[in-house]
Amino acid sequence: MPFTLATWNINSVRLRETLVHKLLTEEAPDILCLQECKSPVEKIPLEGFAALGYPHMIARGQKGYNGVAILSKLPLEDAGGLDHVELGHARHVAARLENGVVIHNYYVPAGGDEPDREKNVKFGQKLDYLTQMRDAFRAERPEKAILVGDLNIAPREDDVWDHKKMLKIVSHTPTEVEHLTAAQEAGAWVDVTRKDIPEGPLYSWWSYRAKDWEAADRGRRLDHVWATPDIAGAAHSSRVLKAARGWEKPSDHVPVFATFDL
DNA sequence: ATGGTTGAAACTCAA
C-alpha cells in the first residue's frame, strides 16, 4: 500500500488550524508530521482533523514552545519521544505504522544567532542535540524507518540562496553541517528529497522579515525527509509546496512531501 | 552594523 507523507513546521497549530485543514483537504497526504505546534497536546484541535479523515494522532507538546505531532489516516502506535540534551522540550515523537515502518518526527533546536558555543548556549545545545541523535542511531541502527522534520540546517550549497554569505549564519555553518552529516551517516539515512530531486534550490523556509519573500527568494532548505536504506528505494514523487508560503497568515515553512510504495 | 516579522504569553523570549 503506497502512502504519502508530508512534514510541515506549522508555527502554532491552533492559530493555523484552518491552514492545516486546507492542506489535508487539497493535498490529502496519508500522514502529516507537524513541528512547532506551540501547544499542549490536549489543546490540539483534533476534532476538525478527525472530521477530515485523520482520526489518529501521536504527539508530544508543551505550553508556548516547540511541540511535534503526527496526524494520520492510518492507525498509529506510539513509538516514544526522546528528550535529547534533557532540555525538557517536546522536539521528537515517533509512531509505528501497521506495516512496521517507524516515523520519527524531529524539531531540532534553532541554535540562536551566534554560531559559537562559548558565546551562545543555544548553539552548543543544537550541536549536542545532533550528537545525541547520532549516538542514538549508533546504539540502535534504525531499520524500516522514516525521519522527517525541521532539522534547522540547510546542508548543501544549493540549499541556501547564497552559500558564501551564509557560511557564518546559523543553519548553514560547516560545524552544523558536519554534525548533521554525522547523525545522518550513523543511521545510514538517505536524503529522500535529494534522491528524487538531485539538483537546484528546494527551499522550505523563507523569513517573515523580508519585504517580499517571493521576490527576494532568500530561502533555505531546513525541512527534510530521510529514510533508511531498506525502504529508501520505495520512495518517490518528492515535492515542496512552495505555494503554501503565499497562503493567508502563512507559516514561514512550507510542507515537504514524499510517497513510499510499501 | 542593524533591523526587519511573527507567535505565545504575559509586560519578553524564541525563532
Side-chain angles (χ1 to χ4, degrees):
Chain A
M1 272 287 287
F3 62 90
T4 295
L5 167 153
T7 179
W8 194 14
N9 178 319
I10 191 62
N11 189 15
S12 174
V13 70
R14 283 184 277 162
L15 188 73
R16 285 186 239 287
E17 180 184 1
T18 56
L19 289 193
V20 177
H21 291 179
K22 181 176 169 69
L23 186 84
L24 297 179
T25 302
E26 294 182 1
E27 304 295 334
D30 296 286
I31 299 158
L32 174 61
C33 297
L34 298 171
Q35 304 87 35
E36 280 208 270
C37 296
K38 295 186 172 178
S39 173
V41 173
E42 62 273 17
K43 290 192 175 178
I44 296 176
L46 288 180
E47 295 79 5
F49 303 148
L52 290 172
Y54 297 79
H56 309 287
M57 184 182 80
I58 305 291
R60 295 294 185 276
Q62 63 186 94
K63 185 175 162 183
Y65 304 100
N66 310 311
V68 284
I70 305 175
L71 298 176
S72 178
K73 294 183 178 183
L74 310 167
L76 301 176
E77 177 189 342
D78 195 318
L82 298 170
D83 181 20
H84 293 317
V85 201
E86 296 180 344
L87 297 170
H89 293 177
R91 294 183 177 275
H92 170 258
V93 69
R96 186 176 291 100
L97 300 174
E98 285 179 328
N99 63 8
V101 171
V102 175
I103 295 166
H104 291 274
N105 181 13
Y106 277 97
Y107 174 48
V108 171
D113 289 332
E114 179 73 45
D116 179 343
R117 69 157 72 227
E118 303 302 320
K119 297 178 192 165
N120 170 14
V121 174
K122 288 185 181 144
F123 191 72
Q125 288 172 346
K126 180 178 194 175
L127 298 180
D128 293 345
Y129 194 97
L130 293 160
T131 297
Q132 292 191 19
M133 286 174 65
R134 180 201 70 185
D135 291 345
F137 302 142
R138 276 187 186 169
E140 187 176 354
R141 171 69 71 92
E143 295 178 356
K144 285 182 72 178
I146 298 168
L147 184 159
V148 306
D150 177 2
L151 305 184
N152 264 315
I153 296 173
R156 297 178 15 155
E157 293 191 13
D158 59 353
D159 288 338
V160 294
W161 64 280
D162 188 320
H163 167 64
K164 283 189 178 172
K165 282 195 173 70
M166 293 288 296
L167 280 169
K168 292 180 179 173
I169 304 297
V170 172
S171 74
H172 193 63
T173 65
T175 306
E176 288 167 273
V177 174
E178 282 166 21
H179 281 71
L180 183 69
T181 302
Q184 184 179 1
E185 288 178 349
W189 295 103
V190 175
D191 180 339
V192 165
T193 312
R194 281 304 185 190
K195 177 183 85 70
D196 278 352
I197 310 169
E199 302 295 332
L202 278 177
Y203 308 143
S204 64
W205 174 90
W206 292 261
S207 172
Y208 285 127
R209 296 175 189 178
K211 277 198 183 79
D212 182 338
W213 69 274
E214 195 165 22
D217 200 24
R218 295 184 171 188
R220 307 178 195 172
R221 187 172 74 105
L222 303 180
D223 301 274
H224 298 267
V225 179
W226 293 353
T228 49
D230 50 354
I231 62 168
H236 60 91
S237 303
S238 292
R239 63 198 175 93
V240 180
L241 190 65
K242 184 175 179 180
R245 186 62 179 77
W247 290 354
E248 184 135 356
K249 292 268 277 171
S251 170
D252 45 356
H253 294 252
V254 299
V256 180
F257 293 79
T259 300
F260 292 81
D261 290 342
L262 289 171

